[in-house]
Amino acid sequence: MARNERTAEPRGDRTTAREQERAVLRLFGTFRLEGANGDVAVPASAQRLLAYLGLHRGAPRSVVAGTLWPDVTEEHAHGSLRTVLWRLRRMRQPAVRTDGDSLCLADGVRVDVDDFTRAALGLTGSAPAPGDTPSPLVLLDSGELLPGWDEEWIHPERERLRQLRLHALESLSVRLTVRGCYALALEAALRCVAIEPLRESAHCAVVAVHLAENNIVEAIRHYEAFRRLLGEELGLEPSPRLAGMFPHRVRERYPETGLIRR
């Protein structure tokens, strides 16, 4: 069987190489592997392996087996991994490459998480922005990492990407406000608020956009809504930093908002 499969591979490999140049593994939202000719059907048992390699780039077989099958014996875990790899090799677009004892995604398979990370780090100033950095709009369009998946190894990655998105959206809002792109700046700030309603820095971004447009009433309305929410949920007041964003004349005129601290 193995010999017959190897002799049948050359023509398929040439096609696969062209397809893999445009293959995209999507981990935000519903799991998808997109090939040159549309979505590639991936067995449910193999989706976890591709997702793990997409998030970790590569790992030894023993680590992959122990992580994906933590509740079985080592022998059983390695057997399950071999079965999944066999199924993946039979796909019209193989997506996993073996490098000695390590596994990684095949060359040419792009991961949407990597696109997002480059865009986010470029905005926060944490990394230089390469020439092929995706549009910052990817920060607004991408959803949660593999919603509904409850594997233990996903939780830290999900939280890491959530925090990165929050910081990047705030940075994006600031940059767009400076450029005068107020509608998109407000969209970025409000998206951040929707993800984490009690995050004060996100509310600061919203207020900053309103003040830049000289929409004082909108800024006060948002401040008061956040003040009520913070009081109801945590029994706290907004920090002096947020109140201090308002011009002195506004704080003097609207003392009932709590913009002036006694």
Side-chain angles (χ1 to χ4, degrees), residues 8 146 209:
L146 296 171
V209 178

Side-chain angles (χ1 to χ4, degrees), residues 94-160:
V96 173
R97 176 168 61 87
T98 301
D99 185 8
D101 190 48
S102 296
L103 301 174
C104 60
L105 291 181
D107 296 337
V109 179
R110 203 177 86 238
V111 185
D112 63 349
V113 169
D114 292 338
D115 293 342
F116 164 82
T117 301
R118 284 196 302 272
L121 292 179
L123 282 168
T124 59
S126 304
D132 62 347
T133 297
S135 165
L137 291 177
V138 71
L139 298 169
L140 301 179
D141 295 336
S142 55
E144 183 185 5
L145 178 70
L146 296 171
W149 289 37
D150 198 35
E151 281 77 0
E152 185 175 343
W153 53 270
I154 291 179
H155 297 320
E157 288 299 309
R158 186 178 287 150
E159 178 60 17
R160 178 184 70 83

Side-chain angles (χ1 to χ4, degrees), residues 132 134 191 193 206 253:
D132 62 347
R191 185 68 61 91
V193 168
V206 175
R253 185 173 180 180

